[in-house]
């Protein structure tokens, strides 16, 4: 099932998205999409709505250096244990919303990533049981002020600006995340092209590691790391991240 969130002339709603590409229908979900969603009976043509970020997260947890080739291009080796950091939930935006480059940074990069969306409150989840804690998967761009990442020594500012966490276009609930193509395209040119099978820590290990540290809540989002090929974006460009089996997340880039 594809779960999303849309704005229409009737307001904002969680929806299930069904039907063939170009003719999708959005079925309104009562309340929230967790557990077994119930439907109100109201529907819209998806084209008559605007897709928003598919979920409102209480926190966004990210894995650093989870692909060996990206760790190499950052000038080091991948650490044995996962490196985790947070992006504030205020950095989340939906498809089509401009990524705003702050004037304080000279280099703002894309990082295409597979994102996990948590489906229930959980703590100390074993890797083998991770699927039971996961609602589904979406596409993310872990936008990073690369110069400030180096300057600050920690990454809160570099990763935390408003608009630095595009998510979408929706959550796919029926997906095996173990070997999916992941591609980032900037202005029509492919910049990152890899597969999730090249992750150093897989989805189960990531959920086990993070949930050993902190309680995960429904809607929390985990960014699983970016492959090699990172690079800067400038105002006027358009960036698209595609994960096989989910879809494409596209955002324009502007200067503040
Ligand atoms: Mg990243």
């Amino acid at each position: 099932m594809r779960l999303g969130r849309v704005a229409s002339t009737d307001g904002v709603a969680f929806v299930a998205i069904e039907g063939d590409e170009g003719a999708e229908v959005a079925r309104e979900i009562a309340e929230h999409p967790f557990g077994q969603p119930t439907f109100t009976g109201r529907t819209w043509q998806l084209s008559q709505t605007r897709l928003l970020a598919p979920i409102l997260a209480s926190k966004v947890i990210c894995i650093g250096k989870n692909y060996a080739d990206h760790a190499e291009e950052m000038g080091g080796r991948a650490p044995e244990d996962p490196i985790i950091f947070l992006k504030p939930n205020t950095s989340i935006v939906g498809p089509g919303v401009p990524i705003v480059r702050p004037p304080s940074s000279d280099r703002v990069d894309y990082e295409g990533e597979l994102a996990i969306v948590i489906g229930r409150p959980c703590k100390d989840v074993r890797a083998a049981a991770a699927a039971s804690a996961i609602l589904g998967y979406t596409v993310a761009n872990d936008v990073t002020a690369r110069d400030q990442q180096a300057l600050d020594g920690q990454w809160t500012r570099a990763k935390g600006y408003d608009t630095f966490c595009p998510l979408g276009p929706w959550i796919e609930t029926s997906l095996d995340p173990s070997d999916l193509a992941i591609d980032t395209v900037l202005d029509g040119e492919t910049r990152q092209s890899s597969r999730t099978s090249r992750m150093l820590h897989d989805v189960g290990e990531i959920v086990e590691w993070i949930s050993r540290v902190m309680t995960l809540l429904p809607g929390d989002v985990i960014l699983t790391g970016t492959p090699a090929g990172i690079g800067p974006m400038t105002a006027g460009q358009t960036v698209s991240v595609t994960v096989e089996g989910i879809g494409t997340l596209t955002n324009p880039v502007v200067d503040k």
Side-chain angles (χ1 to χ4, degrees):
M1 186 164 45
R2 282 178 174 172
L3 299 171
R5 210 162 53 93
V6 297
S8 73
T9 50
D10 300 309
V12 171
F14 284 108
V15 294
I17 296 157
E18 297 167 355
D20 295 331
E21 194 176 335
E24 296 101 333
V25 171
R27 295 173 66 202
E28 186 180 44
I29 292 170
E31 307 290 335
H32 60 72
F34 303 105
Q36 192 64 45
T38 55
F39 294 93
T40 64
R42 189 150 69 162
T43 64
W44 300 275
Q45 290 295 317
L46 187 65
S47 58
Q48 300 299 305
T49 70
R50 184 164 58 90
L51 280 165
L52 306 173
I55 203 71
L56 302 163
S58 72
K59 56 186 172 292
V60 180
I61 312 103
C62 309
I63 307 290
K65 300 183 181 173
N66 198 26
Y67 290 78
D69 53 0
H70 170 61
E72 242 165 68
E73 75 180 349
M74 291 294 285
R77 284 179 43 189
E80 195 155 309
D81 288 331
I83 296 282
I84 61 173
F85 61 94
L86 292 168
K87 283 169 97 82
N89 58 3
T90 42
S91 63
I92 295 173
V93 290
V97 175
I99 295 164
V100 181
R101 289 166 26 107
S104 55
S105 173
D106 292 325
R107 179 170 163 168
V108 174
D109 282 13
Y110 54 81
E111 290 189 2
E113 309 199 9
L114 170 73
I116 304 164
V117 182
I118 295 298
R120 62 175 174 83
C122 58
K123 182 80 175 70
D124 298 325
V125 181
R126 302 286 289 272
S132 72
I134 293 171
L135 175 66
Y137 301 89
T138 189
V139 182
N141 192 340
D142 177 18
V143 179
T144 303
R146 196 68 66 197
D147 49 353
Q148 294 177 2
Q149 184 182 29
L151 203 64
D152 290 359
Q154 49 79 25
W155 307 347
T156 305
R157 179 169 69 137
K159 302 270 191 180
Y161 286 92
D162 287 2
T163 76
F164 272 27
C165 189
L167 290 179
W170 40 61
I171 298 162
E172 178 59 65
T173 62
S174 309
L175 191 68
D176 175 354
S178 60
D179 186 26
L180 303 172
I182 176 164
D183 296 279
T184 305
V185 173
L186 186 67
D187 274 358
E189 201 174 291
T190 299
R191 297 297 183 91
Q192 295 184 290
S193 188
S194 190
R195 301 196 68 83
T196 57
S197 50
R198 295 188 192 157
M199 284 183 193
L200 300 170
H201 306 282
D202 67 17
V203 163
E205 292 172 309
I206 287 169
V207 171
E208 176 171 309
W209 179 267
I210 295 173
S211 72
R212 212 183 282 158
V213 178
M214 63 187 82
T215 298
L216 295 171
L217 298 176
D220 281 354
V221 172
I222 300 173
L223 272 50
T224 58
T226 201
I230 54 161
M233 305 177 290
T234 55
Q237 292 190 305
T238 299
V239 62
S240 292
V241 183
T242 301
V243 176
E244 180 183 6
I246 305 174
T248 299
L249 169 67
T250 299
N251 298 85
V253 181
V254 301
D255 281 337
K256 185 164 181 175

